[in-house]
Amino acid sequence: MSRPGQGVMVPVNGLGFPPQNVARVVVWEWLNEHSRWRPYTATVCHHIENVLKEDARGSVVLGQVDTQLVPYIIDLQSMHQFRQDTGTMRPVRRNFYDPSSAPGKGIVWEWENDGGAWTAYDMDICITIQNAYEKQHPWLDLSSLGFCYLIYFNSMSQMNRQTRRRRRLRRRLDLAYPLTVGSIPKSQSWPVGASSGQPCSCQQCLLVNSTRAASNAILASQRRKAPPAAPPPPPPPGVPPGALAVRPSATFAGAALWAAPTTGPTEPAPPPGVPPRSPSAPSGAPTPGQNNLNRPGPQRTTSVSARASIPPGVPALPVKNLNGTGPVHPALAGMTGILLCAAGLPVCLTRAPKPILHPPPVNKSDVRPVPGVSGVCRKTKKKHLKKSKNPEDVVRRYMQKVKNPPDEDCTICMERLVTASGYEGVLRHKGVRPELVGRLGRCGHVYHLLCLVAMYSNGNKDGSLQCPTCKAIYGEKTGTQPPGKMEFHLIPHSLPGFADTQTIRIVYDIPTGIQGPEHPNPGKKFTARGFPRHCYLPNNEKGRKVLRLLITAWERRLIFTIGTSNTTGESDTVVWNEIHHKTEFGSNLTGHGYPDASYLDNVLAELTAQGVSEAPAKA
């Protein structure tokens, strides 16, 4: 299926502009941690466009129009979204779509998440769904967009092709996104001591405007007073030409900030984010305590020791994009100064702490088997992969025929149970008439037999059946996990929150290979990134119970599957299959580590949802 409604981006000075005299719908989007561009709401986009018309290099306070976005500010000059309470920065973009597409009509497609809240689809997916809906297609396959989902318009549901899990979806009308024609004039630099448009009276905007004016005034004063000087010396070895050095200032002076005050006058320094001074400004040797994040190793000693001497109570902002490979991003320094320095608070920029993924090295002699679990390894091979069951026989095994069906909807085809199945004419099976209705034995939910045959035929065909309403599993559910090896053993280290117990380490290893008939693209090569993968459990009674069930899930090929990675967007690769694991040993910075008091209970619930419970589990 083609990908209609794809946005058009024409970058000019960091902002996208549509072609001349062509009407386009404007959608502002931000880049999430999974490298997916997520749209702001139409209300927020109208607000951003209004600010853009006033000052194309200014800042947009999102909390003015959406109370859920109070911590966020967009810097239009650098095209980044800044979160005030955490210091997190994300790129934003200004994208354009056809006025006749979903955003131009104010149509929003959303899916229901696990918490019962509604989440909007990415804009390109929303447009694709709306196009199929307008053409009255009964269903839509999203695999062409990199997602293993089917959209059923009759039942207004989304189904995962691999797990068969269904979620509700809805179509609602909202405010249409802003419309623009032609191109917008290039932005002007900030006038010193002036602001464009009427300033907002909120505290955030007062900080922005006052700091902006003060910064420009300081710059102008320095340029007037600065005597001519010799050209700056060449950069030291290892520093690329043009690398930005953070100027000494009250907020970055390190140890000098807390030294006894001097008697002589000091020149006021611009707050972070102000552009470097002109070539006529003096540039001598680095001042002691100057924080230059691009200096080679020996010169970093000063800034490290300075950071250690900062007294308690000074806020340290974790900075997530200082990787040592380039200059400090102007939006980072500028927004930090705006939010804290203008309020009279000293700031220390620090690197974000790194997650502790692995324990200290362990000798082989210190590795022990897990008590109560036989062996230290489980393997799955190709001989386990072949299973074939007749769909009609499987469905009849778990259903009882209903002679007088109730006058209600079949939740698979959304047709009345007293009428023929919606799959009549689409699927033909001997002995399964479209009007036949049956009731599942344990849960009692009623469906057309033909609908259940269609659902089973589109799944793993492993002889098990899962009720689409209550998710009850009939038979032994198996997955599509590729062949591999699972190892498990005890190591003499403790997890955070479990100081008195040792740790169970699980090592999964799956090599690359060729997809089988049960996979999305049979005969095509699949990749296996990040293997071997190390996971951790506490060695207590509940941790060992989780391990035994994970072994059962591994043997049933339920731990991994082949699909599209949510992190990288890569398709035809090995991904986790809705059973969460803890891959962070000594911290919980990513949410995949310890301490996490509810993890063991949560993973037991996930295993139960996959049909893996302790009764049939065998170690």
Side-chain angles (χ1 to χ4, degrees):
M1 182 178 289
S2 61
R3 191 173 182 169
Q6 184 68 15
V8 179
M9 286 291 294
V10 184
V12 178
N13 289 345
L15 294 171
F17 295 100
Q20 292 281 353
N21 302 322
V22 177
R24 287 287 184 268
V25 172
V26 179
V27 178
W28 284 81
E29 300 167 318
W30 58 278
L31 190 67
N32 69 7
E33 64 273 17
H34 303 303
S35 300
R36 301 287 307 176
W37 287 100
R38 303 287 297 137
Y40 292 100
T41 64
T43 302
V44 172
C45 289
H46 277 280
H47 176 59
I48 299 174
E49 286 292 301
N50 291 335
V51 175
L52 180 66
K53 293 175 184 177
E54 297 293 332
D55 187 355
R57 296 180 66 184
S59 301
V60 185
V61 182
L62 301 184
Q64 293 177 350
V65 292
D66 189 338
T67 55
Q68 294 183 341
L69 301 181
V70 166
Y72 298 97
I73 291 178
I74 291 179
D75 179 27
L76 294 176
Q77 184 174 0
S78 66
M79 293 294 282
H80 274 75
Q81 170 191 278
F82 181 84
R83 178 163 179 164
Q84 304 171 63
D85 52 353
T86 64
T88 303
M89 295 175 57
R90 299 189 186 277
V92 300
R93 73 178 183 182
R94 186 171 182 251
N95 214 351
F96 299 93
Y97 297 91
D98 191 275
S100 63
S101 62
K105 299 176 181 179
I107 296 173
V108 180
W109 285 88
E110 299 172 321
W111 55 276
E112 187 179 29
N113 62 27
D114 292 337
W118 292 95
T119 303
Y121 285 96
D122 296 351
M123 190 54 68
D124 54 349
I125 299 177
C126 176
I127 292 173
T128 302
I129 295 175
Q130 177 62 21
N131 288 344
Y133 178 84
E134 292 177 349
K135 294 176 182 177
Q136 297 183 347
H137 292 172
W139 57 274
L140 172 67
D141 189 348
L142 295 181
S143 59
S144 61
L145 300 182
F147 296 92
C148 56
Y149 295 108
L150 291 172
I151 301 295
Y152 293 102
F153 293 109
N154 287 338
S155 59
M156 290 297 283
S157 63
Q158 165 193 284
M159 185 183 74
N160 188 310
R161 295 170 63 98
Q162 274 127 24
T163 65
R164 315 297 303 165
R165 182 177 183 182
R166 284 179 179 260
R167 296 181 185 271
R168 291 195 300 164
L169 67 103
R170 72 178 183 181
R171 174 182 180 268
R172 65 177 179 88
L173 291 178
D174 198 355
L175 179 68
Y177 279 82
L179 191 69
T180 186
V181 179
S183 59
I184 299 175
K186 291 185 178 180
S187 59
Q188 303 294 323
S189 59
W190 291 337
V192 175
S195 62
S196 56
Q198 284 296 110
C200 175
S201 59
C202 76
Q203 189 65 26
Q204 292 168 324
C205 285
L206 289 176
L207 284 176
V208 171
N209 292 328
S210 62
T211 306
R212 181 187 301 173
S215 302
N216 287 314
I218 292 170
L219 260 184
S221 173
Q222 288 176 341
R223 287 171 179 163
R224 286 194 301 269
K225 296 179 181 179
V239 178
L244 173 65
V246 180
R247 294 179 45 75
S249 69
T251 54
F252 290 94
L257 176 63
W258 313 108
T262 58
T263 56
T266 59
E267 178 187 1
V274 174
R277 67 174 71 187
S278 62
S280 61
S283 58
T287 307
Q290 180 175 352
N291 186 4
N292 185 341
L293 295 175
N294 290 303
R295 285 184 228 152
Q299 292 182 329
R300 289 177 181 253
T301 308
T302 304
S303 61
V304 173
S305 61
R307 190 158 51 231
S309 64
I310 296 175
V314 176
L317 295 184
V319 179
K320 297 189 177 181
N321 67 336
L322 297 185
N323 54 15
T325 59
V328 179
H329 200 289
L332 168 65
M335 298 310 294
T336 304
I338 287 172
L339 299 170
L340 292 173
C341 297
L345 296 175
V347 181
C348 171
L349 293 184
T350 65
R351 294 181 184 275
K354 293 183 178 180
I356 303 173
L357 299 179
H358 302 291
V362 179
N363 294 326
K364 288 186 177 180
S365 58
D366 294 328
V367 174
R368 296 282 187 268
V370 180
V373 180
S374 63
V376 294
C377 179
R378 296 290 190 277
K379 293 182 180 180
T380 55
K381 300 179 181 179
K382 289 186 178 179
K383 66 180 181 180
H384 295 160
L385 305 184
K386 294 182 179 179
K387 260 186 179 178
S388 178
K389 302 284 184 179
N390 184 287
E392 180 184 345
D393 293 340
V394 172
V395 171
R396 289 184 181 277
R397 182 186 311 158
Y398 303 120
M399 294 200 71
Q400 302 168 356
K401 187 176 179 180
V402 176
K403 294 183 179 180
N404 298 311
D407 187 14
E408 59 187 40
D409 287 342
C410 169
T411 56
I412 298 177
C413 69
M414 298 308 294
E415 299 290 343
R416 306 298 287 181
L417 288 169
V418 294
T419 63
S421 166
Y423 283 91
E424 182 182 16
V426 179
L427 193 65
R428 294 174 180 265
H429 270 266
K430 294 181 179 179
V432 181
R433 300 193 306 275
E435 64 274 11
L436 287 180
V437 174
R439 176 182 286 105
L440 287 172
R442 277 206 318 274
C443 63
H445 289 111
V446 182
Y447 305 96
H448 291 111
L449 262 69
L450 189 60
C451 291
L452 284 175
V453 169
M455 186 185 76
Y456 179 85
S457 299
N458 200 32
N460 198 27
K461 306 182 190 69
D462 59 357
S464 69
L465 194 67
Q466 186 167 13
C467 175
T469 300
C470 66
K471 310 303 179 187
I473 295 175
Y474 295 81
E476 183 179 291
K477 179 181 177 180
T478 61
T480 59
Q481 177 181 287
K485 181 172 65 173
M486 173 188 185
E487 296 179 343
F488 40 89
H489 48 253
L490 277 184
I491 57 175
H493 297 291
S494 299
L495 294 166
F498 298 93
D500 298 330
T501 62
Q502 293 185 325
T503 299
I504 300 171
R505 178 166 60 186
I506 305 171
V507 182
Y508 296 112
D509 197 4
I510 296 178
T512 58
I514 304 298
Q515 297 183 51
E518 73 275 24
H519 294 137
N521 297 295
K524 185 178 179 181
K525 182 179 179 180
F526 68 84
T527 58
R529 310 290 186 192
F531 287 94
R533 299 188 185 183
H534 292 225
C535 309
Y536 304 96
L537 292 168
N539 180 33
N540 56 23
E541 183 178 352
K542 189 174 288 187
R544 290 189 292 271
K545 175 181 177 180
V546 170
L547 173 63
R548 290 192 294 270
L549 295 179
L550 288 176
I551 293 173
T552 301
W554 170 265
E555 292 172 339
R556 295 182 186 177
R557 303 169 61 212
L558 294 169
I559 302 292
F560 296 96
T561 187
I562 294 177
T564 300
S565 170
N566 287 331
T567 305
T568 65
E570 181 183 11
S571 58
D572 299 305
T573 189
V574 179
V575 295
W576 294 105
N577 187 33
E578 299 187 358
I579 299 176
H580 287 82
H581 286 64
K582 291 296 188 181
T583 56
E584 197 175 337
F585 173 80
S587 56
N588 195 18
L589 299 179
T590 64
H592 302 301
Y594 296 92
D596 186 343
S598 59
Y599 167 67
L600 295 177
D601 291 326
N602 290 342
V603 74
L604 286 172
E606 291 172 347
L607 287 161
T608 301
Q610 297 284 352
V612 181
S613 56
E614 194 168 29
K618 297 178 181 179

